[in-house]
């Protein structure tokens, strides 16, 4: 029997579940079992849990359906647990180093207790200081084990379920087992009944759990009728306390905490958009029915609210609370566009109705008609011709726009007008700081690559990157506008979830820009090669290095490309595509080097290439769809990993051969290793993992779901990788 069982529900937190589990497995005290509770149909969390279980026998995943909710998941974990003490850890929280050793040491001194409360640290994952809200609550508790009557305030419900360790025999005893009640606010129902039933308690004045504060705050604070369930939990707890015959002092503490929660909800207009009067009256009934004998309400304004609640005087309560709130303008905190005239114009357009048939697109901060937004736009013209579209571009990109594509210059009056009026806003980066998310509008974030390097808030621990990113609070404020986020594989889904925490819905539809890799013909490939100037019969090697945050300017990654061509073979030419940060309109073509950095479509460039050489650029994930050779040139992997941070070890699972010097790179082309069977095997595994949803119909799925409103089960299913046929290469890969 292990000393501890740590139960970790994982619904909706697959992106951070690995960190939670790893924080347990890294504990210096090893006598434990960890029980991840996964949604049976949720492969993302199940895969993370299964991977840990395969490496460590102490990990024992179980399943609970999403319909059972958080309470059902925790109760499932309790039934599977065998440890002496149970801990509950949310799937996006972590145990601090040494936590289990500290708990074991403290319990050795107190002996068996029913519940051991401990401190936790609330850590914002953007700007802000950590907080320890449990510390003042636990500070006044006696040392060692004690009877609850010695600390009546601990009979309250101010600590979450994951801020205590529970004796399993106490929770699961045959006489009256204690379980998490169904519905919302289950921590209140569980915490209150546990505190009321406990006979021996102890307190550890040390942080055990590091809780990541959700950016939008507690989900329970969101508007909705679920707030009435707070009163259900309060009634459950107060009824149980009366049955147990608790002392008046303990019942008073419990009563006061529950009524404070009810008053807070009743006074919060955003939590209950409707039904506040009925909520208040029901809370008043609870107040009168369960008020302990001799209970004295607090003083001041809060005491007045208690008396109004007891009388059910909602009108007076509303007037009191309304007098304490100052009216604020709807646009008070809005970062408005520059220029008084433009501000007034934008504000005026925001008052006009949304145009239900207007969609606004933007790619790479206005760099032209490109990437996923362009592919979605093209498919929308076919499937949703009633939707008018406007592409947003910088002034110097106007000439590059395809004929017939309506556009607006960023910063112009029309730019702000369409942003204010459009129902659909589609971008692969983010819209400007001042753009308002209007009710009824639909924001789709398409992303522009599969993440190998850290993104979003995960960059905060890498100083060079964090300094360039700016305010993470502002970044995540822009994330709050997203309704949908596009993903091309489950790895991306998990990383977007942790890098850009928000309430959006993941669309695992594939990347629309990659559709062309399954639609293009041999004639299309030959045409693109002619346009780029690839000599007939030559092997075109696309060299596409990524940007390095620790370097300035572009130097081809330190490679002498002419020397590479000479050493790799007489038939090799290089298509050089620098990161778009370095696209300044000039060309670096010379000899056997063809500069394609300024070419509008990276998809065309990939179609033209017989093989890809890259370092850590996300282009490798897209190019893998073509099932053509990929070579990783990793001359500075260790430096890149330390300065930028990565989500997985590319060197352990590359899409092809890895070269670390120019000589090694030339050799794999000269001897044909780049296209050999080992390279093909690595590429197949890479495609299976990272080209999961890319099958040539991603744009269609997006248009049907987002613009036409079709239900998910009506969309075209994803074609399995084994059944896909990518565009053919220009010629068979035969070495001279």
């Amino acid at each position: 029997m292990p000393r501890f069982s740590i139960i970790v529900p994982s619904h909706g937190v697959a992106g951070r579940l690995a960190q939670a589990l790893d924080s347990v497995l890294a504990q210096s005290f090893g006598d434990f079992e960890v029980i991840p509770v996964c949604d049976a149909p949720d492969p993302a969390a199940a895969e993370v849990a299964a991977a840990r279980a395969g490496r460590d026998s102490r990990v024992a995943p179980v399943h609970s359906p999403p319909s059972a909710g958080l309470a059902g998941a925790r109760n499932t974990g309790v039934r599977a647990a065998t440890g002496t003490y149970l801990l509950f850890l949310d799937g996006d929280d972590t145990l601090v180093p040494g936590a289990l050793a500290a708990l074991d040491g403290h319990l050795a001194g107190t002996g068996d207790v029913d519940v051991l409360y401990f401190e936790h640290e609330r850590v914002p994952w953007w700007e802000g200081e950590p907080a320890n809200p449990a510390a003042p609550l636990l500070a006044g508790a006696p040392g060692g084990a004690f009877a609850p009557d010695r600390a009546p305030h601990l009979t309250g419900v101010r600590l979450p379920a994951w801020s205590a360790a529970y004796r399993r025999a106490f929770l699961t005893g045959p006489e009256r087992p204690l379980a998490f009640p169904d519905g919302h606010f289950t921590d209140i129902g569980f915490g209150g009944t546990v505190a009321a039933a406990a006979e021996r308690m102890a307190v550890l004045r040390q942080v055990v759990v590091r809780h990541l504060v959700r950016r939008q705050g507690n989900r329970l604070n969101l508007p909705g009728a679920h707030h009435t369930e707070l009163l259900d939990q309060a009634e459950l707890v107060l009824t149980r306390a009366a049955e147990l015959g608790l002392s008046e002092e303990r019942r008073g503490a419990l009563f006061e905490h529950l009524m404070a929660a009810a008053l807070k909800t009743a006074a919060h207009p955003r939590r209950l958009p409707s039904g506040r009067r009925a909520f208040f009256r029901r809370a008043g009934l609870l107040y009168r029915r369960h008020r302990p004998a001799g209970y004295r309400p607090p003083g001041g304004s809060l005491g007045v609210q208690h008396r109004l609640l007891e009388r059910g005087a909602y009108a007076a309560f509303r007037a009191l609370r309304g007098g304490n709130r100052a009216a604020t303008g709807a646009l008070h905190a809005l970062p408005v566009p520059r220029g008084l005239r433009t501000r007034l114009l934008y504000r005026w357009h925001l008052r006009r109705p949304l145009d239900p048939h207007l969609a606004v697109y933007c790619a790479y901060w206005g760099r032209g008609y490109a990437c996923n937004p362009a592919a979605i736009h093209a498919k929308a013209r076919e499937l949703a011709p009633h939707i008018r579209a406007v592409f947003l571009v910088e002034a110097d990109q106007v000439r590059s726009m395809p004929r017939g594509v309506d556009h607006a210059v960023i910063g112009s009056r029309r730019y702000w007008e369409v942003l204010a009026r459009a129902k659909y806003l589609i971008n692969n980066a983010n819209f400007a700081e001042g753009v308002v998310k209007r009710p009824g509008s639909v924001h789709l974030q398409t992303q522009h690559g599969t993440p190998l390097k850290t993104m979003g808030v995960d960059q905060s621990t890498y100083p060079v990157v964090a300094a360039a990113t700016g305010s993470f609070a502002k970044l995540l404020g822009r994330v709050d506008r997203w309704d949908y986020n596009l993903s091309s594989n489950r790895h991306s889904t998990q990383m977007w979830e942790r890098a850009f925490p928000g309430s959006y819905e993941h669309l695992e539809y594939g990347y629309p820009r990659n559709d062309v890799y399954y639609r293009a013909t041999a004639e299309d490939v030959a045409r693109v090669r002619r346009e780029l100037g690839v000599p007939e019969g030559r092997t075109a090697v696309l060299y596409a290095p990524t940007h390095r945050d620790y370097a300035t300017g572009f130097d081809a990654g330190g490679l002498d490309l002419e020397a590479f061509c000479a050493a790799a073979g007489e038939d090799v030419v290089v298509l050089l595509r620098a990161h778009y940060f370095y696209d300044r309109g000039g060309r670096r073509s010379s000899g056997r080097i063809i500069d394609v950095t300024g070419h509008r479509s990276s998809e065309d460039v990939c179609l033209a290439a017989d093989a890809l050489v890259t370092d850590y650029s996300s282009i490798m994930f897209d190019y893998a769809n073509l099932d053509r050779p990929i070579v990783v040139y990793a001359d500075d992997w260790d430096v890149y990993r330390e300065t930028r941070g990565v989500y997985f070890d590319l060197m352990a699972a590359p899409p092809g051969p890895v070269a670390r010097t120019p000589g090694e790179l030339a050799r794999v082309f000269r001897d044909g290793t780049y296209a050999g069977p080992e390279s093909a095997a690595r590429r197949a595994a890479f495609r299976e993992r990272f080209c999961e949803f890319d099958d040539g119909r991603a744009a269609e799925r997006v248009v049907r779901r987002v613009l036409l409103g079709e239900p998910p089960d009506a969309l075209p299913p994803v074609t399995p990788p084994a059944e896909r046929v990518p565009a053919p290469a220009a010629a068979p890969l035969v070495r001279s």
Side-chain angles (χ1 to χ4, degrees), residues 47 51-52 61 76 107 156 160 167 177 237 243 330 364 367 547 573 645:
E47 283 184 2
R52 269 61 185 179
T76 297
L107 288 168
R167 189 166 57 87
V237 171
E243 293 172 352
Y364 297 117
R367 292 186 63 250
H547 165 68
V573 296

Side-chain angles (χ1 to χ4, degrees), residues 10 35 48 59 127 181 275 277 281 393 483 501 520 549 558 583 601 668 732:
S10 66
I35 305 174
V48 172
V59 182
E127 286 90 341
R277 183 184 297 273
R281 287 178 174 172
V393 294
D483 294 293
D549 301 277
D583 179 12
S601 171
V668 299

Side-chain angles (χ1 to χ4, degrees), residues 126 213-222:
W126 68 103
V213 181
R214 295 184 184 276
R215 281 215 321 99
Q216 296 82 7
N218 193 318
R219 289 174 180 171
L220 297 178
N221 293 336
L222 296 175

Side-chain angles (χ1 to χ4, degrees), residues 4-278:
F4 298 107
S5 294
I6 300 97
I7 297 164
V8 190
S10 66
H11 179 65
V13 292
R16 293 189 174 270
L17 179 60
Q19 294 170 302
L21 298 181
D22 290 346
S23 75
V24 179
L25 297 177
Q27 291 291 309
S28 57
F29 181 88
D31 186 15
F32 64 83
E33 64 179 355
V34 57
I35 305 174
V37 186
C38 307
D39 301 342
D42 181 5
E47 283 184 2
V48 172
R52 269 61 185 179
R55 299 196 299 263
D56 196 315
S57 61
R58 295 174 297 179
V59 182
V62 296
H63 296 288
S64 176
S67 58
L70 177 61
R74 286 173 171 171
N75 290 333
T76 297
V78 171
R79 288 191 294 271
T82 62
T84 304
Y85 281 89
L86 308 183
L87 283 81
F88 300 96
L89 186 69
D90 281 358
D92 52 359
D93 295 344
T94 55
L95 288 183
V96 301
L100 295 184
L103 288 172
D104 178 68
H106 197 70
L107 288 168
T110 63
D112 287 343
V113 293
D114 295 329
V115 57
L116 169 62
Y117 294 109
F118 48 72
E119 297 177 6
H120 62 270
E121 188 176 56
R122 292 171 56 88
V123 182
W125 47 13
W126 68 103
E127 286 90 341
E129 293 296 325
N132 185 345
L137 183 65
L138 303 182
F146 56 87
D149 282 331
R150 293 182 59 197
H153 66 286
L154 290 182
T155 307
V157 289
R158 288 187 287 180
L159 289 176
W162 38 260
S163 197
Y166 310 88
R167 189 166 57 87
R168 182 167 63 89
F170 163 64
L171 293 186
T172 61
E175 293 185 4
R176 196 161 190 175
L178 300 172
F180 286 89
D182 292 336
H184 296 86
F185 303 98
T186 185
D187 274 23
I188 287 180
F190 177 78
T193 54
V194 163
E199 296 180 358
R200 278 172 56 85
M201 293 180 174
V203 164
L204 173 62
R205 296 180 184 87
Q206 182 174 330
V207 171
V208 171
V209 170
R210 185 164 289 125
H211 171 66
L212 289 180
V213 181
R214 295 184 184 276
R215 281 215 321 99
Q216 296 82 7
N218 193 318
R219 289 174 180 171
L220 297 178
N221 293 336
L222 296 175
H226 64 276
H227 285 283
T228 59
E229 296 181 37
L230 169 65
L231 302 181
D232 297 334
Q233 303 288 1
E235 185 156 24
L236 171 72
V237 171
L238 292 170
T239 300
R240 183 67 188 277
E243 293 172 352
L244 292 171
L246 298 189
S247 67
E248 288 188 8
E249 195 172 9
R250 289 183 67 195
R251 286 183 63 194
L254 186 60
F255 176 82
E256 184 162 307
H257 294 160
L258 290 169
M259 291 304 108
L263 283 168
K264 186 175 182 179
T265 298
H268 204 305
R270 292 183 181 177
R271 293 185 185 179
L272 282 171
S274 61
R276 288 194 295 275
R277 183 184 297 273

